[in-house]
Amino acid sequence: MDIVTGVGVIDKAMLILHAVADSPANLNDLQSATGLPRATAHRLASALVEHGMLRRDADGQFALGHGLVALGQAAAEHFPLADLARPVLEDLRDQTGESVQLFVREGAGDGAQRRCVLSFESTHGLRWIVPQGALLPLDVGSAGRLLSGESHRDGWVQSVGEREAGVASVSAPVTSGDGSVIAAISVSGPIERLSRQPGKRFGEEVVAAAERLSG
Amino acid sequence: MDIVTGVGVIDKAMLILHAVADSPANLNDLQSATGLPRATAHRLASALVEHGMLRRDADGQFALGHGLVALGQAAAEHFPLADLARPVLEDLRDQTGESVQLFVREGAGDGAQRRCVLSFESTHGLRWIVPQGALLPLDVGSAGRLLSGESHRDGWVQSVGEREAGVASVSAPVTSGDGSVIAAISVSGPIERLSRQPGKRFGEEVVAAAERLSG
DNA sequence: ACGTGCTATCCCACATTATGGGATACTCTG
DNA sequence: CAGAGTATCCCATAATGTGGGATAGCACGT
């Protein structure tokens, strides 16, 4: 087995999925991308094909399968927040002209992270992009600190050049009926435009958007 | 182990995913839906949560995870045919007023099936619905027989009450540059509207749509 | 407050399951 | 036809996942 022992089949299967996620891959690509032995990679990939998580494309390469898009759709349907948030975020993006995102906390305890569920890009030429589905750390960035429980005096939290140099952001919490934070809305862009006090600049707008969603 | 021995971890994981796909489920639901022992279901589900394929919702229930929507999106991006087909199918639906679908063959040899990649519903009150992502048999239904290699003299294949009583359909092949069949476009609806010769009624339209996509 | 029924989570000896090195079968290309 | 680059198959080995049961946590009703 690999140097790292104690990894389960599911972990290996996920390695394969993510290796294929970027672009279709043949067995050799899989092997080098995952570090798995050929036979193992082949067996797992074949099993995933059987279940529609992967497919063989015209060239015989492994690509993400159609079962995955079906499951992905189902997943989106079972998460109504994203649908509700779409128009709100779009409005916010138009108001501010900057990139806006919706983050949710994901994972337990120490390994917790935040996931960008929704992302609309700034209309400016110089724009800061967070891809949908991206996983970001929980301890840096305004939305991250917000989701990790940091208090927000004015309804928002800001950060300047914290997670990424040159990027500033303001975030506000989306709360459920009982007041618990279930998500965070974030406006982010270059410091040059957001200034060193992004909260002053866009705090009100972000909070308003977050409140439209809360409840 | 279960009565059915020889099933792999991945198969069990997929059981769990599909059990959750319909609606969020707690551990007991999972247990009865999958037939897996509690401990096993719990361990696998937890592993899937770690990888973002599942998540714990507000009630602690297992639901489809955000990682899944990200992968699903990526999968859709890597399958350009679906995007190209969208406007074509929409036009076809408007022309015919009936439900239209795009099918691709999936799986090898004996266990081959067809997957509905795209589905637009008829505007009629009485409509025949094939959900996106659905897996259908390859040996019945016009699109099924088409994808399993049946010849199509007039450019289309029809079926009447074959897979489902009361439902008729016409399908035409989408071919790649070298003439091989890579997908099938299908118009289907109640026999009352499509008649017992759906090919005569909508054959031309389906073939035209399929040709717009081919190549 | 206490018991009761429900659930999620953890533990550990066991053997079923996945493993992976290597042999084989394909499929192009020159 | 030789040769390189593939995918696929095989099978002895042991590492992995298993699952019965024990524990912990939670919510409700008496």
Side-chain angles (χ1 to χ4, degrees):
Chain A
M1 163 127 322
D2 218 297
I3 302 153
V4 177
T5 183
V7 296
V9 179
I10 294 198
D11 305 75
K12 294 174 188 161
M14 294 303 302
L15 273 181
I16 293 190
L17 279 185
H18 282 111
V20 171
D22 306 312
S23 68
N26 65 20
L27 233 189
N28 277 11
D29 299 334
L30 274 190
Q31 188 183 185
S32 53
T34 60
L36 298 172
R38 255 211 300 291
T40 303
H42 178 259
R43 189 161 15 80
L44 290 182
S46 302
L48 289 171
V49 167
E50 291 247 305
H51 288 285
M53 308 297 281
L54 294 182
R55 64 191 168 92
R56 316 294 301 248
D57 69 6
D59 314 330
Q61 293 199 305
F62 293 97
L64 293 181
H66 302 302
L68 217 37
V69 328
L71 278 174
Q73 277 181 203
E77 280 170 24
H78 288 312
F79 189 64
L81 188 60
D83 281 323
L84 297 172
R86 212 174 301 270
V88 176
L89 288 209
E90 235 162 343
D91 288 355
L92 182 60
R93 192 261 318 265
D94 295 342
Q95 270 176 54
T96 61
E98 299 295 339
S99 298
V100 301
Q101 303 92 29
L102 180 71
F103 292 100
V104 297
R105 187 190 174 117
E106 187 160 317
D110 54 340
Q113 300 177 88
R114 57 182 158 131
R115 167 96 59 184
C116 173
V117 211
L118 220 49
S119 171
F120 289 92
E121 298 183 10
S122 157
T123 51
H124 286 99
L126 172 63
R127 61 178 87 164
W128 168 240
I129 299 175
V130 179
Q132 276 190 26
L135 274 176
L136 271 50
L138 205 58
D139 53 345
V140 291
S142 59
R145 299 205 318 272
L146 196 51
L147 289 174
S148 62
E150 185 173 309
S151 65
H152 37 95
R153 280 170 316 195
D154 308 300
W156 47 259
V157 170
Q158 65 183 354
S159 78
V160 178
E162 192 171 299
R163 189 175 67 76
E164 197 83 22
V167 174
S169 64
V170 218
S171 303
V174 178
T175 57
S176 93
D178 60 356
S180 58
V181 176
I182 55 179
I185 293 186
S186 198
V187 172
S188 54
I191 296 181
E192 283 69 34
R193 285 205 303 269
L194 287 194
S195 84
R196 305 210 129 258
Q197 264 147 13
K200 278 206 169 162
R201 187 128 169 60
F202 289 132
E204 270 184 41
E205 287 87 338
V206 187
V207 171
E211 272 170 6
R212 269 178 74 190
L213 260 186
S214 294
Chain B
M1 162 128 323
D2 218 298
I3 302 155
V4 178
T5 183
V7 296
V9 178
I10 293 198
D11 304 74
K12 294 175 188 162
M14 293 304 301
L15 273 180
I16 293 189
L17 279 185
H18 282 111
V20 171
D22 307 311
S23 68
N26 64 19
L27 196 56
N28 276 12
D29 299 334
L30 273 191
Q31 187 182 188
S32 53
T34 60
L36 297 172
R38 254 210 301 290
T40 303
H42 178 261
R43 186 160 19 78
L44 290 181
S46 301
L48 290 171
V49 167
E50 291 246 306
H51 287 284
M53 307 298 280
L54 294 180
R55 62 189 169 94
R56 317 293 303 246
D57 69 5
D59 314 330
Q61 294 198 305
F62 293 97
L64 293 180
H66 301 301
L68 217 37
V69 329
L71 278 175
Q73 277 181 204
E77 279 169 26
H78 289 312
F79 189 65
L81 188 60
D83 281 324
L84 296 173
R86 212 175 301 270
V88 176
L89 287 209
E90 233 161 345
D91 288 353
L92 183 60
R93 191 263 316 269
D94 294 341
Q95 271 176 54
T96 62
E98 299 295 339
S99 298
V100 302
Q101 302 92 31
L102 180 73
F103 291 101
V104 297
R105 188 190 173 117
E106 187 160 318
D110 55 338
Q113 300 177 86
R114 57 181 159 133
R115 168 95 61 182
C116 173
V117 209
L118 220 48
S119 171
F120 289 91
E121 298 183 10
S122 157
T123 50
H124 287 98
L126 173 62
R127 64 178 85 163
W128 168 239
I129 299 175
V130 180
Q132 276 189 25
L135 275 176
L136 272 50
L138 205 59
D139 52 345
V140 292
S142 60
R145 300 207 315 274
L146 195 51
L147 288 175
S148 61
E150 186 172 308
S151 64
H152 37 94
R153 279 168 318 195
D154 309 300
W156 47 260
V157 170
Q158 65 182 355
S159 78
V160 177
E162 191 172 300
R163 191 175 66 77
E164 198 84 22
V167 174
S169 64
V170 219
S171 302
V174 178
T175 57
S176 94
D178 60 355
S180 57
V181 176
I182 56 178
I185 293 187
S186 197
V187 172
S188 54
I191 296 181
E192 284 68 33
R193 285 204 304 270
L194 288 195
S195 84
R196 305 211 128 260
Q197 264 147 12
K200 279 207 168 161
R201 188 130 168 58
F202 289 132
E204 269 183 42
E205 287 88 336
V206 187
V207 171
E211 273 170 6
R212 269 179 73 191
L213 260 186
S214 294

